[in-house]
Structures are given as C-alpha cells and as structure tokens.
Amino acid sequence: MRVSSSWKWQLSRTMRLALRWCQLQRGGRGRRGKQQICNRLSELWSYSKLLLRSLYYNTLSDSDTLLDCIFEPVFWVVDNLTRWFGVVFVCLVVLLTSSVVIIVYLFVIPMVVRTYPVHWSIWHLGFGHWVLVMIVFHYYKATTTSPGHPPKDKHNTPSVSICKKCVAPKPPRTHHCSICSICILKMDHHCPWLNNCVGHFNHRYFFSFCLYMTLGCIYCSISSINMFLEAYNAVEVSPPHLYTCFFWMSKCSEQQHLIVVLGKQNLSSSYFQTPPPDYSFSDSTAHKCIIFLWVLTSSVAVALGGLTLWHARLINKGETSVERHINNKEAKRLKEMGKVFRSPYHRGRTNNWKLLFGVETRSHWLTRVLLPSSHPPNGDGILWDSIFTQRDPMAI
C-alpha cells in the first residue's frame, strides 16, 4: 500500500478521524452508535500502525535485518574491544615467549650441557635455536605483513559481488573484516594474537608460526619433564606445620571419648625419618621457574596444537576458515538437490601445501619451509584459477 509523502496530509487525515470519533462518542446511542464507534476506533488504530510502519518498513526488511539492527551496538563494542586487546595480546605473547626463553637459558641448557653427552648437547642446542629463530621470524612477519586488500581502482577489479560496507567490488575469496574495517584478500580470520588479519600475503607466516610454536612447546615440555618432577616434589615436600589437629577415638566399654589436641605436636618418626632439605632462595626460585615453564609450554602445546591441526585440515582441502562455513552451507544445499559439492580451489593435498608454502622445486622445501624465507605467495590474491567452470553459482 502506497502512503503519501506529505506529512501535512497525514496530519489532517489523523485530525479528521479524531474529530469524527469525538462526534460519534457524543451523539452515538444504542447498539448502532457503539458499532460505529468500534469501527472508527479500529480504523484509527489501523491507520496509526500504518503511519508507524511507514517510518521503518520496506520490502527488503525481514527478521534478520531487524536482529542486525538490534545487535549492531553489541558488534561495535566487540570489534573495538578486540582491536584494543590486540595490542595487549601481542605484548602478552612477547612477554611469555621471552620468559620461557630466559628460563631455558638459565636452567634447562646448563642441565643439558652438564648431564647429556656431547653429541646430544650439540643436537639440543642446534634444534632449540633453530626452532626459536623460526618462531621469532614467522611471528614478526605475520604481525607486520599486510594480508592484502583489493585495489583502489574499482573499474578494473574483477569481482563476484559488492561489499555492503565498503561499497566496492569484492574479488573472489575476499571478505570484509569488521575489526579492521576493510576487505581482506583470501581472508581466513582476524587473529587478536597477531593484532592483524590472516589473509593471502601472511597466511603462510601465520601457519608456520603456529606449527613451530607448537613444536617448540613440545620440545621444552619433553626436555624439562625430569626437572619439573624434581621441582614439583621439592615444592610439595615442606616442613610440617607448627599447629596441627589430631582426632583420636578411644573405644571403651562404657563410652567413647573424642580428644582434640591443638598446638605443637611431635610427628611420628615413621612419617619423617629424615627432615626435608632446606632450599635456598635461589633454589626455590629455580623450582618455581621450572614449574611455570613446564605448565605454560604444555598448555600452549595442547591448545595451539589443536588450532594447528584444524588449519592443516583446512589447507588439505584448499579452503579458509570463512570458506569452510560457506562451503558447508553450499554442500547441504546441493545435497538436497541430489548433487555433490566440490570446492573450486581444491587442487589435491600435495598441491595445496605447495601453493601455501610457495614450493616450486625440491630445494624449496629446505629454503622456503625449513629455513626463514620472506618470498611472496603465488598470485596476487585477486585472480584465482578454478578447477572447473562454475555453472551453479556459489555464495562467495
């Protein structure tokens, strides 16, 4: 129903209906008058709803649009908090990694050099420093490298859709990041631990950092397991408390007695035949540092290891985290139609890994994967070769 845009006409119409209702209320008598009043009231109520609805309603609005409008302030707060906490998370990663490295240099490496044979000591020193260099290099590159953005020249940009927020063409595999407020080429996700988006140009750095960080945490946990057990036992075994409470039940033929003794008690010699050793302040500090090292590296190894396995599974299928969600919906839609979904960017497991790491020859597995390398990825992130020509368009 079309409503006139003149607010004066709407106001006069409302006034006329109100005056008629007042006249009917004064002169209406009997059943017929009451019926007319009810009809006029319903007409006035319907017209008021129509006026109110004309302020916000259009043919494209639905329940999803209404929910987006309601939760828009919540999304804004979350995005801004994530953007602010990104700096805090980066500082936290640097602080925790530095603390682990310092503890390893102060306690673990001297133990390895002192107790292990020469060849094992050399292996530990070489492997540990190689992992440390790979972690630092890839974290720095993943944090500082731009994930890639669509070109500013909108006329010559190949696109599959238009970004509603940037109002610009979106190339294939491009998605808008609400935290960075810009479109990202081959966007995987926004990582608060990097304070950066993971996209086409830093995807390799992100995955390599996760892989080598997990490997380094596992290495530290295994290397310090014996020291952790010794430190844990040393911390747990402490001198007995001065004040103890004993409950002793004595059964007699006539009654039971409950004796509670509070105060200094001499423990039985069967419990502590030898007094626990007295540790100095430096020894107790070393024990706590070793416990902190093992708990932290073990926890990170489990959590980050699960994330690394998840991304490895995505790489096997040639898709990103965002595309995983889209492809699942598309697979369900095609399954209902009796068809089978196939990702257009899946080129086989080996080829997917080669494309990610930029491996073109066998030597690249050494120079580009096992050693620090800042080579750019294949392609520009705008044009993508599909394994087949899509006849059934898919949501990108």
Side-chain angles (χ1 to χ4, degrees):
M1 182 177 180
R2 302 181 63 181
V3 181
S4 175
S5 60
S6 175
W7 63 273
K8 294 182 179 180
W9 180 87
Q10 296 176 357
L11 181 60
S12 63
R13 177 65 175 169
T14 306
M15 294 294 293
R16 286 197 300 268
L17 290 175
L19 288 174
R20 290 181 182 179
W21 177 75
C22 292
Q23 292 175 0
L24 290 174
Q25 188 177 14
R26 290 179 181 179
R29 296 179 181 179
R31 184 177 300 176
R32 184 178 179 182
K34 292 181 180 180
Q35 185 65 30
Q36 291 179 355
I37 292 175
C38 293
N39 294 337
R40 292 300 181 181
L41 286 175
S42 62
E43 183 180 356
L44 181 61
W45 173 249
S46 301
Y47 186 70
S48 301
K49 289 196 301 182
L50 181 61
L51 289 177
L52 179 62
R53 198 175 183 187
S54 65
L55 298 176
Y56 67 89
Y57 179 79
N58 60 71
T59 56
L60 299 178
S61 63
D62 53 8
S63 58
D64 295 336
T65 306
L66 181 60
L67 288 176
D68 290 341
C69 295
I70 294 175
F71 285 100
E72 186 64 28
V74 179
F75 296 151
W76 183 87
V77 172
V78 172
D79 293 342
N80 283 272
L81 284 179
T82 305
R83 188 181 308 166
W84 184 82
F85 274 112
V87 180
V88 179
F89 288 161
V90 170
C91 296
L92 187 62
V93 170
V94 174
L95 180 63
L96 293 178
T97 305
S98 302
S99 64
V100 169
V101 173
I102 292 173
I103 294 173
V104 168
Y105 272 105
L106 290 178
F107 304 108
V108 179
I109 290 181
M111 184 274 298
V112 170
V113 175
R114 185 174 61 253
T115 58
Y116 283 53
V118 177
H119 60 281
W120 277 112
S121 299
I122 296 175
W123 184 88
H124 276 283
L125 291 175
F127 181 80
H129 285 86
W130 168 70
V131 172
L132 177 62
V133 170
M134 298 298 286
I135 290 173
V136 174
F137 172 79
H138 287 104
Y139 185 73
Y140 173 77
K141 296 294 290 185
T143 306
T144 58
T145 302
S146 174
H149 312 293
K152 296 181 179 180
D153 186 8
K154 303 178 181 179
H155 300 287
N156 299 326
T157 303
S159 61
V160 294
S161 62
I162 301 295
C163 180
K164 298 179 181 179
K165 297 184 178 180
C166 295
V167 193
K170 286 198 330 183
R173 313 187 77 177
T174 300
H175 300 277
H176 184 87
C177 177
S178 58
I179 299 175
C180 299
S181 298
I182 195 171
C183 287
I184 307 297
L185 297 176
K186 190 194 170 186
M187 179 179 176
D188 189 274
H189 69 288
H190 183 92
C191 182
W193 298 100
L194 301 178
N195 195 27
N196 194 9
C197 271
V198 177
H200 176 64
F201 290 99
N202 63 348
H203 191 187
R204 176 176 68 89
Y205 298 130
F206 165 77
F207 180 78
S208 298
F209 164 71
C210 293
L211 179 63
Y212 287 111
M213 178 62 82
T214 303
L215 186 63
C217 290
I218 294 174
Y219 167 74
C220 290
S221 299
I222 295 176
S223 300
S224 61
I225 181 64
N226 293 329
M227 300 180 65
F228 166 74
L229 295 177
E230 294 178 1
Y232 182 79
N233 292 330
V235 171
E236 286 297 316
V237 176
S238 58
H241 297 288
L242 295 178
Y243 294 93
T244 58
C245 178
F246 290 93
F247 293 92
W248 177 64
M249 301 292 296
S250 62
K251 294 185 178 180
C252 300
S253 57
E254 297 179 355
Q255 58 182 356
Q256 295 182 352
H257 299 279
L258 176 63
I259 303 177
V260 180
V261 180
L262 295 173
K264 293 184 178 181
Q265 300 292 339
N266 295 323
L267 298 179
S268 174
S269 60
S270 60
Y271 288 97
F272 295 99
Q273 295 181 356
T274 57
D278 295 330
Y279 294 104
S280 63
F281 177 76
S282 60
D283 293 336
S284 60
T285 303
H287 293 157
K288 295 177 182 179
C289 290
I290 293 298
I291 294 175
F292 169 78
L293 169 70
W294 193 87
V295 172
L296 178 62
T297 54
S298 301
S299 303
V300 173
V302 173
L304 192 59
L307 179 65
T308 305
L309 292 177
W310 166 253
H311 281 278
R313 182 181 178 185
L314 294 178
I315 296 171
N316 278 335
K317 296 183 178 181
E319 57 188 10
T320 62
S321 300
V322 178
E323 292 173 350
R324 174 70 173 176
H325 175 69
I326 297 174
N327 292 345
N328 286 340
K329 294 176 63 176
E330 187 67 13
K332 293 179 180 179
R333 184 181 71 86
L334 293 178
K335 186 176 180 181
E336 295 175 355
M337 301 171 58
K339 300 180 181 180
V340 178
F341 173 80
R342 188 179 180 186
S343 176
Y345 307 110
H346 180 37
R347 297 178 175 273
R349 295 181 179 179
T350 304
N351 292 329
N352 290 336
W353 286 99
K354 288 182 178 180
L355 289 174
L356 175 72
F357 290 112
V359 174
E360 299 175 357
T361 61
R362 290 185 178 180
S363 62
H364 287 168
W365 288 106
L366 174 64
T367 59
R368 295 188 174 185
V369 179
L370 299 180
L371 293 177
S373 176
S374 58
H375 65 278
N378 295 327
D380 55 1
I382 300 176
L383 296 175
W384 295 91
D385 295 331
S386 176
I387 60 175
F388 59 90
T389 302
Q390 297 184 23
R391 296 181 180 178
D392 188 13
M394 182 187 67
I396 300 298

